[in-house]
Amino acid sequence: AGSAVKHGFSFLPEAWAQGPGGQGVAAPGWATRVPVDGNLYYLGTADGKTFEEAREKALANARTGATNAWVQEAGGKELAGKTALIEQLASALGSAAAPAQTFVAPGAGGSFHGYVLLRLSRGAAEFAAQSVFTETKAPADAKLLSTIKGEK
């Protein structure tokens, strides 16, 4: 199976893993509907041959999704065309997100399906972005900072 990543507060389709004996194990509620509490969330899912592999792949997918979401967000602002700066910002923002929840369920044929929900507080996101602007001596992108603060 593939992976799913969501940025922000959108709803996700419900996912299921097969438990022992073919029983369906429902995904946790936060995997189908991310919390709405002022933070930013990124969901990663993945299959693995072991419990740990499924969890680690889901975490990697969540981080990749967070980074990709910020590349898209920054690329559409005043930073358009400044690829290296955008990638540095996206990497800092993706790395600032911390695991809030993890869940791994047994799947079909002895495999496992993992879910990881990363949480990025708006304060931490703003600090990470401001740090990159300061470090690179690039002028701060007011539109991106506004988006981070939730002011769109």
Side-chain angles (χ1 to χ4, degrees):
S3 65
V5 178
K6 212 57 167 170
H7 169 73
F9 308 114
S10 301
F11 298 107
L12 301 173
E14 187 163 352
W16 293 84
Q18 288 298 312
Q23 294 177 303
V25 178
W30 51 262
T32 57
R33 185 173 180 175
V34 297
V36 179
D37 62 6
N39 294 302
L40 301 168
Y41 289 92
Y42 307 91
L43 176 68
T45 68
D47 290 283
K49 294 177 184 172
T50 66
F51 177 95
E52 192 59 32
E53 180 184 20
R55 184 189 166 287
E56 290 301 317
K57 283 182 173 181
L59 177 60
N61 287 342
R63 289 233 183 266
T64 298
T67 300
N68 290 343
W70 285 110
V71 165
Q72 287 184 323
E73 191 67 44
K77 305 293 181 195
E78 297 168 6
L79 299 174
K82 299 178 183 175
T83 307
L85 181 57
I86 290 171
E87 288 176 2
Q88 190 172 352
L89 278 164
S91 178
L93 289 162
S95 295
Q101 299 282 344
T102 61
F103 179 79
V104 179
S111 67
F112 293 86
H113 191 74
Y115 303 84
V116 173
L117 183 68
L118 296 179
R119 176 179 43 232
L120 177 59
S121 75
R122 290 187 183 275
E126 182 180 8
F127 180 80
Q130 289 284 16
S131 296
V132 170
F133 289 129
T134 300
E135 179 184 319
T136 61
K137 297 180 177 34
D141 182 329
K143 289 181 183 177
L144 179 63
L145 292 174
S146 179
T147 298
I148 289 171
K149 293 176 186 178
E151 298 170 349
K152 283 193 175 186

